[in-house]
Amino acid sequence: MTNRRSVWTAITLMITLVVLPWTTLTSAEVFNYPTPQTDPNDISFYQAPAKMQSYPAGAVRVRNVILCIGDGMGLGQVTLARMKAIGAEGKIHMQRLPVHGLISTHSANKLVTDSAAGGTALACGIKTNNGMIGMAPDETPYYSILEAAQAKGMATGLVVTCTMSHATPASFGSHVKSRKMEPEIAAQLIGNRINVLFGGGRKYFLPKSHSDSGRKDDRDLLAEAEDAGYTVIGTANQLRWVRGPLVLGLFQLDGLTTLSPEPMLAEMTRKAIDILDETATDSRKYGRGFFLMVEGSQIDWACHANKAEACARQVLLFDEAVRAAVDFAVADGRTLVVVTADHETGGLTIPEGSLKGDEIKAHWSTRGHSASPVPVYAIGPKSERFGGVYDNTEVPQRIAQTLGIKPFPQARK
Amino acid sequence: MDATHAPAVQVGDKVRKGQNLCASEAETTCICPITGTVAEVRFDPAQHEFVVTIAPTKPG
C-alpha cells in the first residue's frame, strides 16, 4: 500500500513538473510578477566578442530578415557601452558586423522625431508626424515591412522589452492615429496574427473588469488570442518550453524590468528565432522564411533619465540579442541582420575618460531626443545595400528589395 | 508632457500659473496650473512623458 502511494505520488509529481510549464495563463488567473533580484547597473552578464575581426560577409539569397532596433541608440550610446564593457580598443558585437551606415531620423513635421514616427519610418518606409503609428500624416495607413513579409508567406515576430503595444512594435503591427492608443494597438497586434509576440504590457490585454487592466472595455485579448490559436505564456520557464506557430509571451503588466527572473532580451530573441525558423520550415503557410523585429526598448528610457550606467547596460543587453541574431545568421547563411535605431536620446557625448573605460564621463545635452543621425550595422546576404548615409525610410525599402517585395512603401486599401 | 523634447523647466525653477512648461518645439503646450517651484522632473517610461511636480508658493 505504501509502495502504491509512493508510486502515485511520484506520478503526480512528474505530471506536475512536465505539464505545468505547458499550462497557459488566462486573464482569470492571478499572476505574481517576480521581484527583481539583481543590481540594475550590473553588466557582468555581457560576453565580449572573443575575436577582434569582423564577422564574415554573407552571400546569395535572403530567406530571413532580423531587424534589431535600439530605441534611442546613437553613436554616443554605442561608444559608452563599448567603453564600459571592453575599453577603447574593443568592439561590441554590433560593431563587428561588416557593413556600416548612418541614417537621418527626422519626422514629417519635426526635425526631432519620436518613436512613433521613427518606428513608422523603419516599419513602413514613410515619413509621418510625431505620435502617429503606421500611417501617413493624412491618416492613410501603410503596410509595414512585417505585414508585407507576412503577405509574402513569411512567419513574423516582434520581441521587445517595453509594452508590446509601445510605439516601436506598434509601428510594425498596427495603424493608429496616436501612440497613446495602446489598448487598440494590442488588439490589432493579435488580429494581425503575428506569430511571435514577446515583451511586456499584459495590462493592455486584460478586460477592464480585471484589477490590473489598462483597458476601458471588456475585451479579454488573452482569451481572444487563445481562441485564435495562440499559446499564451508569462514566465521564463514557460518560454523555454513553448512551441509555435503562434505564441504570445507577456512577462510583465507594464514594461519589463530587464532583471532576473524575467527572460532577458537575448533569451527571448533566441526563442523567437527558434519558433520562427521551425514554423517557416515546417509550415506551408509560412514557408517563405521569417521576419523578426527585436527592440532594445529601454536604452531610450535610461537616456531620458540621463543615467550613463543604465544606458550602457541596456545597450549591452541589446547587443547580446544582436549576437543571438548574428550567431543564427552566420550558421544559417540565408539570414540578413540589420541593426539600427529610431533616434538618439539625450544628446550623449563622451568628453573625457580613460582608455580602459573605467573612468568614463558622459555628457548629456538634453533629457529629450535629438536629431543626431544613428548607426546602421548589417550582415548577411545583400547586407552591402545597407552601407552609406541615407534616410531611415530607406531601411525597410531596402529590406523589401532584398526580399523581392514590391511596391514598397504601399498604402493599405 | 511628451518626452520627445526636454521640458522648458528644471528642478528649482520658479514657475507661474499659465506659463508653458513644454519646450517651444514640442507638439503641444503644457500650461502650468499653479505658481510655485519645480520640485521634481521625472521620466515616466510607460507613457513616454515627463512628469513635473510643482511645490506651490505659499500665499502671503
Side-chain angles (χ1 to χ4, degrees), chain A residues 109-110 112-115 129-130 166 179-180 182 203-204 254 300-302 304-305 343 366-370, chain B residues 1-7 9-11 24-28 40-50:
Chain A
N109 67 333
K110 296 286 179 182
V112 177
T113 189
D114 75 337
S115 289
N129 293 341
N130 283 7
H166 219 257
R179 62 184 292 172
K180 303 286 184 192
E182 290 202 60
K203 67 181 183 181
Y204 294 114
D254 228 310
D300 176 68
W301 301 359
H304 275 297
H343 55 77
T366 178
R367 288 192 65 178
H369 301 175
S370 80
Chain B
M1 64 188 71
D2 179 65
T4 301
H5 301 282
V9 294
Q10 54 190 344
V11 173
S24 56
E25 62 271 32
E27 297 282 306
T28 56
E40 184 187 37
V41 178
R42 178 175 58 84
F43 175 64
D44 173 9
Q47 298 299 318
H48 196 261
E49 289 177 345
F50 287 114

Side-chain angles (χ1 to χ4, degrees), chain A residues 203-283:
Chain A
K203 67 181 183 181
Y204 294 114
F205 293 75
L206 298 171
K208 71 176 182 184
S209 57
H210 196 288
S211 59
D212 292 327
S213 176
R215 302 188 65 83
K216 292 178 180 173
D217 60 28
D218 291 320
R219 289 185 70 175
D220 183 343
L221 295 186
L222 298 185
E224 288 184 29
E226 287 181 334
D227 289 345
Y230 278 91
T231 302
V232 181
I233 60 170
T235 67
N237 192 41
Q238 289 174 322
L239 180 71
R240 285 181 206 109
W241 292 97
V242 76
R243 297 185 68 179
L246 294 163
V247 185
L248 173 62
L250 300 171
F251 305 100
Q252 282 289 352
L253 279 173
D254 228 310
L256 302 188
T257 64
T258 70
L259 297 168
S260 176
E262 279 175 5
M264 294 295 103
L265 184 61
E267 192 178 345
M268 293 192 290
T269 300
R270 274 191 290 272
K271 187 65 185 189
I273 291 170
D274 284 349
I275 292 171
L276 293 174
D277 188 41
E278 186 177 75
T279 300
T281 303
D282 295 347
S283 161

